[in-house]
Amino acid sequence: MRVLGIETSCDETGIAVYDDQQGLLSHQLYSQVKLHADYGGVVPELASRDHIRKIVPLIEKTLAEAHSSKDDIDGIAFTSGPGLIGALLVGSTVARGLAFAWNKPVIGVHHMEGHLLAPMLEETQAEYPFVALLVSGGHSLMVEVKGIGEYTLLGESIDDAVGEAFDKTAKIMGLDYPGGPRLAKLAEQGQAGVYRFPRPMTDRPGLDFSFSGLKTFAANTLRDSDKSAQTLANIAYAFQEAAVDTLVIKCKRALKQTGHKRLVIAGGVSANVFLREQLEELMKKLRGKVYYPRLEFCTDNGAMIAYAGCQRLKAGQAGSNIEIKPRWPLTELSALG
């Protein structure tokens, strides 16, 4: 089966063609970072309009690179949620329109399921069951995965997601948008041990996350500092160290609770080098293995949507309505059966 994937949940237009026999044939990604930089964050209306401008040319380019025409496509998958409602509508209407015109089945894909399955695009794939840490700008989830659609939510953020906390802390420190990656880069120049930030919610049982207080701690530390370049780097180091330590502690708990030896990490924050290093070290100690997608598939992309959609279309799942779900719990998804 060959599937065209469309991702428009936020500020990136991602298109891909995935074949279940040949793998990923082509993918294109257009980022709106420059468009939103002047505003310090994503402006939903501008994001929707830019998706409209870019989506059709990207589809044409992706199909050409995959040496595929509409006759070669067996199905279409699009992100139906969660995400920005206007952005989701763009991808949904284009996908439905193409499905009607080409007489192809179409399916709406859960954005976080796409992230969860993104590591399956790699040559080395995690076998089920495993624990998944899904960390992005809008979500921090710990999930037990027994199969596609067989998800048990172990923990989630009760306030700011870890990626959101990275971005907000970076903004407080005066770093340009997008702040998270810039803060991580600045942390490379920081010195260990200068500041000690709290590891939120690690002093109590459970697997939920809370990063809002960590952001506030960083703001208070910055306010009382001399704000020199080295001090900013030291604060960035301490913030990243605390955030990553918190995620590692929770992963260790989740693995112990479930008894699994395989850990999948996905989402934008999974590109963080320090986080990858610490999780690699953890899994070596536990005699397990950690899996994650290549860097280009950590952020939003069409490849993960094409892959996830392909699995569900092969199982006979397809829709007919232009249904989008800006809020959509991952646990509501059905198992492939």
Side-chain angles (χ1 to χ4, degrees), residues 66-80:
H67 303 291
S68 300
S69 69
K70 62 181 178 64
D71 297 326
D72 300 309
I73 299 299
D74 300 305
I76 301 171
F78 67 95
T79 303
S80 57

Side-chain angles (χ1 to χ4, degrees), residues 27-102:
H27 68 98
Q28 292 290 325
L29 183 69
Y30 172 76
S31 174
Q32 301 176 2
V33 166
K34 292 182 179 179
L35 175 66
H36 301 288
D38 290 341
Y39 304 96
V42 178
V43 181
E45 178 64 21
L46 295 180
S48 302
R49 292 181 180 184
D50 217 33
H51 283 307
I52 293 172
R53 285 192 288 266
K54 301 296 182 180
I55 190 168
V56 172
L58 280 177
I59 290 174
E60 292 174 341
K61 185 175 183 179
T62 305
L63 288 173
E65 287 195 352
H67 303 291
S68 300
S69 69
K70 62 181 178 64
D71 297 326
D72 300 309
I73 299 299
D74 300 305
I76 301 171
F78 67 95
T79 303
S80 57
L84 302 176
I85 187 168
L88 292 170
L89 276 170
V90 175
S92 172
T93 52
V94 169
R96 299 290 183 179
L98 288 177
F100 180 79
W102 296 352

Side-chain angles (χ1 to χ4, degrees), residues 169 172-173 194-198 213-228 231-232 234-236 238-239:
T169 301
I172 290 169
M173 296 175 65
V194 178
Y195 295 105
R196 170 74 182 180
F197 282 23
L214 187 60
K215 171 199 65 183
T216 303
F217 193 94
N220 292 338
T221 303
L222 177 64
R223 181 195 62 200
D224 298 333
S225 73
D226 60 12
K227 300 177 179 62
S228 66
T231 295
L232 289 176
N234 293 340
I235 291 174
F239 174 87

